[in-house]
Amino acid sequence: MTHTDAPDHPGGNPDLIPLRAVPATPRHPLDPLTADEISRAREILVEAGLLGETVRVPMLLPDEPDKSELATWTAGSPFDRRVDATLLDTATGDVVEAIVSVTAGRVVSQRRHDTTAAPYGQPQYLFEEYERAAEIVKASPEWRAAMTRRGLADRRDLAFCSPLAPGFVGRENEVGRRVIRSLTFLRDSEDDIAWAHPVEGLIVHVDLIENRVIGIEDEGDVPVPSGSGKYTPDAVGPARESLRPIEIAQPDGPSFSVQGSLVGWEDWSMRVDFNAREGLVLHDIRFAGRSVLSRASIPEMVVPYGDTSPTRFWISYFDAGEYLLGKNANHLELGCDCLGVIRYFDGHVADDHGHPVRIPNVVCMHEEDYGVLWKHTEPGPVGGQVRRSRRLVVSYFSTIGNYDYGFFWYFYLDGSIQVEAKATGIVFVGAGVPGSTNPHAPEIAPGVFAPVHQHLFSARLDVAVDGEDNRLVEVDAARIPMGEQNPFGNAFSWTETPLRTEREAQREADSSVARVWEVRSASRVNRLGKPTAYHLLPEPTALLMADPASTVAARAAFATKHLWATAFDRDERWPAGRYPNAHQGGGGLPAYTADDRSIDGEDIVLWHTFGLTHIPRPEDWPVMPVDYAGFWLKPYGFMDVNPAMDVPESSQAHAERTADGGCGQGDACTCGH
């Protein structure tokens, strides 16, 4: 059944559009959840007595089929569609996890999660809790008195009380409770950018079950910065007129095909999925019909701050596990987020009450020119040969508070995959004395100080290089000392270190030896008799800067290594565990790898940490230009020859030259100009 009267969403993601009627029928077990399935799951939970008046749905995800189910399924045959729902009783704090079979119309299983016992852990925040927290804070005599003491009583109505996850600091009045912290920012008007005006040192602690303030900190009297944080055209002024248009046209249409969730592009095929926590998920990624990845996503990220002030020492946001990246995803717009001939995919998530909500155009797919693919000029009749590269781009954006994150998957004609996270938005700031020095936060505007912090992402790569039986090897370039083996001093080689168990596979990148990690097929070889393989190429990334003894290091243990590898388990999905919110630590990858299982010739999953360490600069204000982080997956002996030799010449290869000797094609030039 389709929910046709969902109320307007009370808060959170403004791009969530209440569903009116979006009919859809899944045709494959890995298709995204439909609106009808979410509605039906809600009905089943109500009928089972699990979704009463005070119960909310912090997280609702597809319960994906086992690999054994997928292996025996044939097109056109029936399949069981299941939903994994987390239920929170807002009156008591009780949490129930339920698996619902939409197909069978019943609750398959349920279990209680005890939030009051170590290692604790709370479900993701509800959108309604953000507004409720602000109401509680603004109504509290403690906050009102603090604002009055600071001479800000007349600005209380325009104050923005930002709701923030509390981390885990071991405070007796917080452990095991559903707590949120609130920092205060001021607006000069309704359309002002509140982030520019922090009220430094004012922190309110709220219990969301008891609906009351349980503590307040009000220290210091640093003036509120008065400078503008606006970046919209009305504030910036007329746009420059010097940029000439760039037109992207595909007169014959795009080269990709789409059938439901199945995408085909040149030698690539994959299934595009979307859920409330991970956002974009890609299934069954194949090149030339051969498997490369069973499943790929970025299921977690942590943003730890390096400031010791009371206002920020506890900040370490888990934007997927605490806030839900997918539920906060953007409605993308043609010409703004994506250029060219675009294919959009809608996404469906559950709101706080379990009703289906559509996020239109949540995933963008298009093709991009990417410069020279290969080129060589040979004397004689062969002459110059050049081919242009192209890539398929599959992406989405999510806004979590002040930051915006883009997640881009690029697929290339030569069999390579690039993953890129783009961080933009507004840097998180506090206030200080103008001109002063803070060792943890540079001043980026008068009186505006931005703490040092990191954005550390975890990619979950269920590798399947020519099948599920894979091996993992660490490959380093190796110097050879001058001597009998290196008489001229020029020689170097490489070393291969098999990583056979989960503990052996907890590794750090090392650019000084060009370290890569090679995933090999355990059963298939190329024409040279070597295992077919893919390389994971890390890009330089600092690991978690927090001290190993800190609580954030315990909670974000995944970010203490660049690489983890685990034996596949369908229930092991979350690098920091199912509930990183207010969790004591040790969840996720430390627990998954505790038994040190074999990964030699097994069905294995790689978890790769990548990201940014950000020392903010004045150029990041008032809105931050995109910063990039990512990694590559490249075939290594997966094919016998360059698979892109048959790419045709560019249709613009013989364009007429301009008066200055150029060909007039700019980056599209294939003649060397």
Side-chain angles (χ1 to χ4, degrees):
M1 295 180 65
T2 301
H3 184 71
T4 58
D5 59 349
D8 289 341
H9 208 287
N13 182 359
D15 288 325
L16 288 179
I17 297 176
L19 183 71
R20 291 296 176 258
V22 184
T25 302
R27 292 177 285 181
H28 188 277
L30 294 176
D31 281 352
L33 284 178
T34 69
D36 288 350
E37 288 175 321
I38 295 172
S39 286
R40 181 60 183 137
R42 185 184 191 282
E43 289 178 348
I44 295 166
L45 290 167
V46 171
E47 292 165 0
L50 294 175
L51 194 54
E53 183 179 347
T54 60
V55 176
R56 299 293 184 268
V57 184
M59 184 172 71
L60 187 144
L61 303 173
D63 183 55
E64 294 177 6
D66 292 321
K67 290 185 177 182
S68 59
E69 294 179 70
L70 290 172
T72 59
W73 179 78
T74 57
S77 59
F79 49 89
D80 188 22
R81 294 281 279 182
R82 299 184 298 268
V83 166
D84 178 352
T86 302
L87 307 173
L88 169 70
D89 191 327
T90 58
T92 64
D94 291 342
V95 177
V96 172
E97 301 162 6
I99 303 297
V100 178
S101 172
V102 176
T103 307
R106 65 186 182 89
V107 175
V108 175
S109 66
Q110 58 177 292
R111 63 178 293 272
R112 291 192 174 276
H113 167 66
D114 189 352
T115 61
T116 64
Y120 314 105
Q122 286 284 335
Q124 296 68 35
Y125 286 114
L126 304 164
F127 282 180
E128 69 179 40
E129 287 177 318
Y130 303 150
E131 290 193 355
R132 177 148 43 93
E135 292 169 358
I136 293 168
V137 170
K138 288 189 172 184
S140 69
E142 299 96 333
W143 179 82
R144 297 177 71 83
M147 293 289 283
T148 299
R149 186 190 70 76
R150 291 166 176 260
L152 302 174
D154 60 339
R155 303 182 68 181
R156 289 189 301 223
D157 290 344
L158 285 174
F160 167 56
C161 295
S162 175
L164 303 170
F168 185 94
V169 296
R171 290 173 176 164
E172 187 176 347
N173 70 332
E174 293 180 352
V175 171
R177 299 171 74 173
R178 189 166 181 81
V179 172
I180 203 164
R181 302 199 205 286
S182 179
L183 301 184
T184 300
F185 298 81
L186 300 183
R187 295 186 181 97
D188 292 331
S189 60
E190 289 289 348
D191 64 346
D192 193 20
I193 305 298
W195 302 110
H197 312 296
V199 179
E200 185 65 29
L202 179 56
I203 312 120
V204 184
H205 313 276
V206 178
D207 186 309
L208 290 169
I209 301 301
E210 298 179 6
N211 292 315
R212 66 181 183 90
V213 171
I214 59 172
I216 186 168
E217 299 171 64
D218 176 22
E219 296 184 8
D221 294 290
V222 177
V224 176
S226 58
S228 174
K230 291 186 176 182
Y231 51 86
T232 50
D234 59 311
V236 173
R240 66 181 70 178
E241 298 179 356
S242 54
L243 287 175
R244 298 180 180 180
I246 295 177
E247 300 294 340
I248 300 173
Q250 292 182 276
D252 297 328
S255 306
F256 54 74
S257 62
V258 181
Q259 297 179 354
S261 65
L262 179 62
V263 169
W265 180 74
E266 297 304 299
D267 286 323
W268 289 103
S269 67
M270 67 201 75
R271 290 192 175 275
V272 176
D273 190 8
F274 184 86
N275 69 54
R277 182 161 178 169
E278 297 163 282
L280 177 62
V281 178
L282 299 173
H283 298 278
D284 194 19
I285 300 173
R286 294 175 176 268
F287 187 78
R290 296 160 57 190
S291 63
V292 178
L293 292 157
S294 287
R295 190 181 191 277
S297 70
I298 300 175
E300 192 57 271
M301 59 175 291
V302 64
V303 188
Y305 280 73
D307 192 348
T308 59
S309 73
T311 316
R312 285 170 291 277
F313 79 89
W314 42 271
I315 295 179
S316 53
Y317 308 131
F318 291 76
D319 285 337
E322 292 176 334
Y323 298 109
L324 299 178
L325 283 169
K327 192 174 179 180
N328 286 277
N330 294 177
H331 169 196
L332 302 177
E333 296 185 24
L334 181 63
C336 298
D337 302 288
C338 304
L339 294 175
V341 179
I342 308 300
R343 172 62 158 87
Y344 288 109
F345 298 84
D346 290 351
H348 293 94
V349 299
D351 69 8
D352 293 347
H353 294 263
H355 295 301
V357 178
R358 180 171 68 97
I359 311 177
N361 294 6
V362 70
V363 173
C364 170
M365 185 174 71
H366 65 287
E367 294 174 275
E368 288 181 347
D369 180 87
Y370 198 65
V372 174
L373 172 61
W374 58 262
K375 176 182 173 67
H376 182 61
T377 300
E378 187 74 17
V382 174
Q385 293 284 321
V386 63
R387 300 294 185 269
R388 292 199 66 77
S389 181
R390 189 181 297 194
R391 62 187 184 182
L392 179 72
V393 186
V394 189
S395 66
Y396 86 104
F397 256 92
S398 183
T399 300
I400 310 289
N402 52 300
Y403 265 108
D404 300 78
Y405 298 102
F407 298 93
F408 286 68
W409 294 76
Y410 303 114
F411 297 87
Y412 292 86
L413 295 168
D414 67 349
S416 298
I417 302 171
Q418 181 188 8
V419 180
E420 188 173 67
K422 302 182 181 185
T424 180
I426 301 176
V427 293
F428 190 76
V429 299
V433 177
S436 64
T437 299
N438 183 329
H440 308 290
E443 186 177 18
I444 63 171
V448 177
F449 290 74
V452 295
H453 60 282
Q454 295 181 281
H455 304 262
L456 298 174
F457 306 89
S458 178
R460 182 183 183 274
L461 306 169
D462 184 353
V463 291
V465 177
D466 271 330
E468 301 285 4
D469 55 333
N470 289 169
R471 292 192 169 100
L472 184 61
V473 178
E474 184 171 271
V475 181
D476 289 349
R479 290 186 177 88
I480 301 173
M482 284 190 73
E484 183 178 348
Q485 300 301 316
N486 186 14
F488 307 106
N490 67 300
F492 67 97
S493 184
W494 70 92
T495 62
E496 297 181 354
T497 305
L499 305 175
R500 298 188 177 92
T501 70
E502 292 175 325
R503 287 181 188 164
E504 288 181 359
Q506 296 175 21
R507 307 296 297 165
E508 295 183 15
D510 187 350
S511 60
S512 71
V513 293
R515 177 168 294 167
V516 300
W517 293 292
E518 182 170 306
V519 181
R520 295 175 177 171
S521 170
S523 58
R524 183 162 177 170
V525 297
N526 56 31
R527 67 174 177 170
L528 303 176
K530 303 296 185 182
T532 57
Y534 259 77
H535 278 181
L536 169 56
L537 282 67
E539 296 181 354
T541 297
L543 291 169
L544 188 73
M545 297 299 294
D547 190 277
S550 65
T551 58
V552 66
R555 299 173 63 229
F558 74 85
T560 64
K561 302 291 181 184
H562 288 110
L563 183 75
W564 303 68
T566 58
F568 173 79
D569 184 325
R570 70 182 297 273
D571 295 326
E572 294 178 354
R573 295 265 298 276
W574 316 118
R578 184 178 176 103
Y579 302 115
N581 185 10
H583 195 280
Q584 190 174 26
L589 284 168
Y592 299 164
T593 58
D595 291 337
D596 197 24
R597 296 166 294 189
S598 170
I599 55 170
D600 189 31
E602 305 289 345
D603 183 359
I604 64 177
V605 178
L606 303 188
W607 312 73
H608 177 47
T609 301
F610 65 100
L612 305 163
T613 298
H614 194 183
I615 302 174
R617 57 194 180 131
E619 291 87 348
D620 291 326
W621 190 256
V623 64
M624 173 183 159
V626 166
D627 212 346
Y628 303 86
F631 62 94
W632 286 78
L633 291 165
K634 290 199 171 188
Y636 192 85
F638 188 77
M639 276 78 68
D640 291 332
V641 296
N642 178 353
M645 289 193 295
D646 62 346
V647 172
E649 279 191 293
S650 168
S651 62
Q652 299 171 328
H654 305 291
E656 293 186 7
R657 298 183 185 278
T658 60
D660 64 0
C663 67
Q665 299 303 313
D667 285 342
C669 169
T670 62
C671 62
H673 289 273

